[in-house]
């Protein structure tokens, strides 16, 4: 199996606080990898190290290596802006810009100097189709994105992310603000998207991890306690702490 990201001996500090401890992990191409674990165990911090979003937080420090397609992302060889184009991100709360649906999707492209109408029109149509939103919004793409429902807004945010043609999409609890039906729609969408993208998702829902992910990493106090196929983690975990967590004994 081809790994896209390789994490080696990663430590991460907020000031003096060691938030991630000696993490080693391979992320596999066209798979969905889920990060689970109790609140405050470092899942979001780890997710943000993968596309250097933690750079925006002051007084933080990284030790170890993260190789993306073989390139060390912290070495200075890879421009962080380009890195974030190739490793996109979707956040917990849908956060469309107060612009039209159309302008939300093409925002990043315009920033990169792409302004040709035919190109942008094509991207809008294909990404809306890719996130299964096209039929719902095709008559109002020039209306404000803020008029969409929460679930539609989140699918739009995913469309905005994939419009940049990333290789990896990071998702930090993308369904936690959504109702069950919108959640299911996003889950179905992720299963579809993994054909073309590598997806990493932080989730508090173990059912969600079990339903959609291929690989699961269980985090506790800044450490990865166990990382394996989702089947193995949920059916036959190696570590007692993993078992206690997935059977609901703590967290
Ligand atoms: N900006 C920050 N500055 C200092 N410490 C932080 C910062 N962000 C997170 N932390 C600390 O790092 C640890 C890991 O937090 P993180 O948000 O990564 O956990 P998490 O597993 O994603 O939690 P949750 O499931 O609640 O979102 C926590 O102890 C948290 O208090």
């Amino acid at each position: 199996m081809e790994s896209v990201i390789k994490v080696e001996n990663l430590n991460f500090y907020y000031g003096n606080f060691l938030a991630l401890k000696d993490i080693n992990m391979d992320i596999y191409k066209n798979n969905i990898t889920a990060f689970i674990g109790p609140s405050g165990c470092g899942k979001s911090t780890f997710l943000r190290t993968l596309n250097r979003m933690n750079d925006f937080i002051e007084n933080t420090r990284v030790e170890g290596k993260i190789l993306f397609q073989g390139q060390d992302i912290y070495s200075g060889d890879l421009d962080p802006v380009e890195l974030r184009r190739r490793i996109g991100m979707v956040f917990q709360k849908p956060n469309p810009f107060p612009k039209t649906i159309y302008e939300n999707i093409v925002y990043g492209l315009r920033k990169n100097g792409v302004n040709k109408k035919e190109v942008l029109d094509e991207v809008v149509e294909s990404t809306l189709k890719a996130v299964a939103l096209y039929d719902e919004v095709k008559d109002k793409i020039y209306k404000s994105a803020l008029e969409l429902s929460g679930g539609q807004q989140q699918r739009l945010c995913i469309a905005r992310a994939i419009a940049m043609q990333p290789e990896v999409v990071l998702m930090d609890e993308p369904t936690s603000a959504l109702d069950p039906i919108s959640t299911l729609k996003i889950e179905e969408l992720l299963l579809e998207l993994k054909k073309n993208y590598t997806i990493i998702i932080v989730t508090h829902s173990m059912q969600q991890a079990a339903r959609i992910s291929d690989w699961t990493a269980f985090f506790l106090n800044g450490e990865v306690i166990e990382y394996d196929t989702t089947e193995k983690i949920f059916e036959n975990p190696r570590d007692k702490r993993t078992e206690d967590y997935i059977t609901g004994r703590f967290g």
Side-chain angles (χ1 to χ4, degrees):
M1 198 161 308
E2 186 183 342
S3 68
V4 181
I5 296 175
K6 222 176 190 2
V7 179
E8 295 176 0
N9 307 112
L10 183 83
N11 293 323
F12 182 85
Y13 296 84
Y14 292 107
N16 296 324
F17 174 64
L18 179 58
L20 297 175
K21 302 170 193 163
D22 196 28
I23 298 194
N24 290 278
M25 191 183 293
D26 276 14
I27 301 288
Y28 299 106
K29 189 172 178 183
N30 296 116
N31 278 224
I32 299 178
T33 301
F35 297 166
I36 63 168
S39 195
C41 63
K43 306 177 297 290
S44 301
T45 299
F46 182 54
L47 195 73
R48 290 194 303 258
T49 61
L50 300 177
N51 70 346
R52 300 190 53 168
M53 289 293 275
N54 286 326
D55 289 15
F56 299 111
I57 306 173
E58 268 177 47
N59 203 13
T60 58
R61 188 157 58 88
V62 176
E63 289 169 356
K65 264 190 194 167
I66 298 179
L67 304 173
F68 172 45
Q69 306 283 22
Q71 236 183 338
D72 185 346
I73 67 167
Y74 286 97
S75 69
D77 295 345
L78 200 56
D79 170 27
V81 175
E82 172 62 5
L83 174 71
R84 291 183 205 110
R85 185 197 66 72
R86 294 174 63 191
I87 305 185
M89 196 155 192
V90 174
F91 299 89
Q92 179 171 5
K93 270 182 68 189
N95 60 349
F97 305 127
K99 294 173 177 285
T100 63
I101 292 170
Y102 187 100
E103 287 303 324
N104 264 275
I105 296 172
V106 303
Y107 183 83
L109 291 169
R110 283 205 199 278
K111 282 210 131 186
N112 282 337
V114 182
N115 278 308
K116 238 181 160 187
K117 186 171 180 307
E118 307 87 83
V119 175
L120 299 181
D121 285 355
E122 210 292 301
V123 170
V124 169
E125 185 174 331
S126 63
T127 54
L128 283 174
K129 284 182 175 160
V131 301
L133 197 54
Y134 185 74
D135 289 339
E136 288 165 59
V137 307
K138 63 176 186 294
D139 298 326
K140 45 184 174 188
I141 57 172
Y142 299 109
K143 292 210 163 163
S144 172
L146 303 180
E147 290 174 23
L148 299 174
S149 73
Q152 289 173 329
Q153 288 187 6
Q154 194 62 309
R155 275 180 282 152
L156 177 65
C157 291
I158 297 172
R160 185 175 67 192
I162 65 176
M164 299 303 288
Q165 297 187 289
E167 290 148 68
V168 179
V169 183
L170 310 177
M171 301 192 170
D172 198 350
E173 298 183 50
T175 63
S176 65
L178 305 180
D179 63 83
I181 292 175
S182 305
T183 296
L184 272 184
K185 279 195 183 159
I186 300 259
E187 290 182 4
E188 283 168 12
L189 169 61
L190 299 188
L191 290 172
E192 203 48 46
L193 290 177
K194 80 170 185 174
K195 294 174 188 161
N196 295 310
Y197 307 91
T198 301
I199 296 171
I200 307 177
I201 179 172
V202 171
T203 178
H204 274 276
S205 160
M206 284 185 273
Q207 290 79 6
Q208 179 164 73
R211 276 194 299 264
I212 65 170
S213 71
D214 303 289
W215 299 86
T216 297
F218 170 57
F219 285 74
L220 191 62
N221 297 326
E223 286 180 72
V224 173
I225 302 299
E226 192 164 349
Y227 175 50
D228 213 317
T229 61
T230 297
E231 200 181 339
K232 171 89 172 124
I233 294 284
F234 283 91
E235 285 171 18
N236 187 17
R238 201 172 8 87
D239 195 288
K240 173 86 168 58
R241 291 165 294 180
T242 313
E243 187 181 345
D244 286 350
Y245 184 72
I246 59 158
T247 53
R249 257 171 284 201
F250 74 91

